Amino acid sequence: VLAVVADKTGYPSDMLDLDLDLEADLGIDTVKQAEVFALIRERFGIERDDKLKLRDYPTLTHVVGFVRERATSTSDTPARPAAVSAPREAAGSTSAPPAVVADVSDADRVPRRVPVPTIRPPLGACVPTGVELRAGTRVVVASDGGGVGAALAIQLTERGVEVLAIDDRPDADTLIARIDGWLASGPIDGVYWLVALDHEGAIDEMDLAAWREATRVRVKLLYATMRRLYDQISRPGTFLVTATRLGGRHGYDEAGAYAPLGGAVTGFTKAFARERPDAMVKATDVGPAAAPGEVADLLVEETLRDPGAVEVGHADGLRWTVTLEERPAADGGEGMVLGRDTVFVVTGAAGGIVSAITQDLAGASGGIFHLLDLTPAPDPDDPDIGRFATDREGLKTDLIGRLRTAGERPTPVLVERELARIERQAAARAAIVAVRAAGGQAYYHSVDLTDGHAVAQVIGEVAAGDGRIDVLLHAAGLDVSHSLPDKEAGEYDLVFGVKSDGWFNLMTAIGELPLGATVAFSSVAGRFGNLGQTDYSAANDLLCKLASALRTTRPETRAIVIDWTAWAGVGMATRGSIPKMMELAGIEMLPPEVGVPTIRRELTAGSTRGEVVVAGRLGVLAGERAERGGVDPDRFGTATAGPMTGRVAGMGVHSGLVVETTLDPAEQPFLSDHQIEGTPVLPGVMGLEGFAEVAALPLPGWRPVAIEDVEFLAPCKFYRREPRTVAITATFRREGDQLVASCRLVGSRHLANQAEPQVTTHFTGKVRLAKAPAAPAPALTPPPPNSKGTAADAIYGVYFHGPAFQVLERAWREGEGPVGLFAQGLPTDHVPAERPEVVSPRLIELFFQTAGIWEIGRHARFGLPQHVDRIVLHEGLDAPRGRVEAVVEPGDAGFDGRVVDEAGTVLVEVHGYRTVELPGGVDPARQSPLAAAMA
């Protein structure tokens, strides 16, 4: 046993007394404990026990007892001992911050993602969660002060649910005693935590005591409650539903977070969902004006349906969640110019990552740096600091000797603690040296960020000397990962307080001092939640929502938050088993040369405000929580939708809505009448129809008003005239009072001698949706048919279209461009004919074909659709009156124009239509009539 543990810690066996605690003394975290037990079971032939709890074996003596109790080996057949490894560097140990030489463009080597609100389908289209609110169910309701809890309690009681009410704000011990009393009467099936529905008041009017009380009642009591109910809220059918009043979209909109302290509750909830994946866990957000009865209704409905999203919001009559969207840092806004007069205040300055970033900012600016950290100012003459980077193993050996000389037992934890202290001093000194080497000014302040008076004193010195802060970099923080039952209150307070109280004390001390930008260090744990990090997730998501709120409370300050993934090679994530955990979870660690210049990019490349996720592969973090994203395909009304709508495959938080449609040339006229050289090809306009149908599917009452940025990337062909299934995807975001669905039409084919299918994206585009129709365009009197034009027989002697897509009755030149007359009496273009089309695709096809006549007639060029900037869909599209014409305006950037009816009503506007030439040219004899018509 000692050999296995020695191998895992890198310390010799003679240091491993049997009474040492695995974690407290040896530094073996929970994951490494599991690895140790797995190795021991293998060596001693012990069967796996899924009910085993690591906390029952805290010391080496307990581990040895475990072997003696369960080993199958006998004294006659001794187990083969493990080979003793030579001492090695402790797992996860780090050297001084690496000298990272990075260009700011290196930051773009990983995706830059920003959290954005996106649509969840109506609850009626979602599957049940498995929770039942009925007689026999016992539910805790921690009420707000605004009446939601009272309204919810009435609803639950009417359903026969026993409500266990928390209507006050007791201390944690009193609350736990109350819960113990309830548990004595039976199990508890769910918790509604509504405390964060109450607005905390103006934060800039709070003192530190009021701030701490506001966070205590919202998240510290939630921690105490769920820690006590950890084993209760664990199985399917149990639940935790929290409620916040961030604004209905979790603060990810222009207004910013309304009651930002709710961010701590959301962060806790997301982490609890990671720890208790079988329970139904949901963080529900509403707007400032949502009425108590309305909120109570939606809380009940959210409890019963949609297991696919943890973050859910309600605003503008829609359900929202939070997804990620890739966006460049260069957003068209003006970034900061860093120079010698730029004033930086940096917290957590003795951290390895922060030191490296400070060095980067110093090299770019030569500015003024106030470096804040709990670590005392480094002694420039301390030989241990210099030795840390060059002879870490020798330094460790000396530290062991010093502890023994002092009469202390040199446990691995004590030695690593002293090494960590020296490491932080080395990082602090490296930052100071780098600033001064760049010609800047470095001022080091040893300060406890949770001490409001001490922070105020430091900021007062900054104000007196510089009169402003250009960049506040709040990077201080620590993480001690433990599952909730093993997370003591003191640990929770410490991890949460450094980030939370630190931010409050800094912003309180800054007050009205000019502040250019804040950059807070958050984590993917704050964005997604993470195992063992209910405190860390809560604190980080709180910082995100506090930064969001600055859009309203301090609009002159750019508030930025960086959701880092774990860094490779430097920082606290390199310690222990975290790298192994990241690898198993499919999460890519961040190379320092990519991470270091990220802050500089965000400050200088554009006008970044809000949250940015800096990470490569996200692995399980971006995985969907429920099959098909928690939706019921049969509840989307696809049976009465248009011809391009098949079956809903799912609607995930990150994957969006996916509809799979099987199309058969033997059935659909739009395929059989659209063949190129005998092969049916999906018309581009039917792709647009598919985009519009799918985009409107989860949004009853909304209508497509425009289709934008359309790319026809590759023809979707139906080889051998066989059916094909295509997938249309739509991901939604908000723009003002409209929604924009980014759509793709993707096909896959199994090719001979290839194991994997060939997947092709055929079309892409964006559908803009609104509750009201597009504003009417000015009326346009359609020109009368020109006798000098050309008729359908000549047109379709060139074009390949069959009867259903022979949309041109006649085409002629009018002024500087062509006009096309829509044919009457066309056969149906789809079956079943009663399934409605959304965008009248043949009217758009009228425009495309009319533009094509111009290209053929004027330039002998046969063009297929390639791109459209914008198609505006007007209300009259549904019921055109009389004669319909396409009036096309050729230009250097493509074709613009309109489709109008005889009354002058504009049905469709087209902007920036461009084509790609079909190889093979045009038969001169067939081209001649079209050339005459366009002459």
Side-chain angles (χ1 to χ4, degrees), residues 497-512:
V498 171
K499 286 182 173 287
S500 154
D501 293 356
W503 173 273
F504 175 81
N505 288 332
L506 287 163
M507 296 304 293
T508 299
I510 290 170
E512 297 182 359

Side-chain angles (χ1 to χ4, degrees), residues 5 134 172 280 285 295 322 378 383 385 387 467 531 555 584 664 683 689 869 887 911:
V5 175
R134 54 178 174 75
M280 200 289 293
D285 186 46
V295 178
V322 183
I385 295 178
R387 191 177 175 191
L531 292 166
L584 292 174
D664 187 349
E689 171 67 23
D869 287 344
V887 181
H911 302 275

Side-chain angles (χ1 to χ4, degrees), residues 528-788:
F528 300 102
N530 201 17
L531 292 166
Q533 295 185 324
T534 50
D535 45 7
Y536 194 63
S537 297
N540 279 309
D541 208 19
L542 173 60
L543 290 181
C544 295
K545 302 313 187 281
L546 290 167
S548 170
L550 289 186
R551 296 175 201 169
T552 300
T553 61
R554 196 163 186 148
E556 72 280 3
T557 298
R558 285 174 58 197
I560 304 168
V561 185
I562 306 296
D563 294 335
W564 299 109
T565 188
W567 285 54
V570 60
M572 59 188 173
T574 62
R575 293 171 170 78
S577 298
I578 293 178
K580 182 66 173 178
M581 293 169 63
M582 297 295 105
E583 180 184 351
L584 292 174
I587 302 170
E588 186 177 4
M589 296 186 76
L590 186 68
E593 63 272 18
V594 174
V596 166
T598 293
I599 301 300
R600 178 156 51 102
R601 178 191 68 184
E602 297 303 323
L603 290 172
T604 62
S607 55
T608 301
R609 288 176 183 258
E611 208 171 325
V612 179
V613 177
V614 178
R617 294 187 309 274
L618 290 168
V620 297
L621 295 178
E624 298 297 343
R625 188 169 170 82
E627 185 180 3
R628 298 192 201 86
V631 302
D632 184 344
D634 295 329
R635 290 176 170 266
F636 271 84
T638 54
T640 58
M644 290 296 295
T645 301
R647 181 172 176 81
V648 173
M651 187 172 182
V653 171
H654 302 294
S655 59
L657 176 61
V658 181
V659 174
E660 295 177 346
T661 303
T662 300
L663 301 173
D664 187 349
E667 294 181 357
Q668 290 295 359
F670 62 74
L671 293 174
S672 59
D673 286 354
H674 193 264
Q675 299 185 37
I676 300 178
E677 296 181 348
T679 299
V681 179
L682 181 67
V685 293
M686 293 309 296
L688 302 182
E689 171 67 23
F691 288 171
E693 289 178 16
V694 170
L697 201 57
L699 295 166
W702 291 69
R703 59 183 293 157
V705 295
I707 305 176
E708 302 169 342
D709 300 329
V710 178
E711 299 288 351
F712 300 101
L713 301 172
C716 183
K717 297 184 178 182
F718 291 73
Y719 298 96
R720 295 183 293 275
R721 303 188 183 186
E722 294 175 348
R724 287 189 67 182
T725 298
V726 297
I728 300 176
T729 65
T731 57
F732 299 83
R733 62 182 171 85
R734 175 175 171 266
E735 283 191 9
D737 58 356
Q738 295 183 335
L739 298 173
V740 174
S742 296
C743 300
R744 290 179 174 272
L745 189 147
V746 178
S748 63
R749 295 197 303 133
H750 287 277
L751 303 180
N753 302 318
Q754 291 191 17
E756 297 297 323
Q758 179 192 69
V759 178
T760 304
T761 299
H762 297 286
F763 310 148
T764 63
K766 298 175 182 178
V767 179
R768 186 171 294 274
L769 302 108
K771 284 199 165 183
L780 175 67
T781 302
N786 187 322
S787 60
K788 295 182 180 180

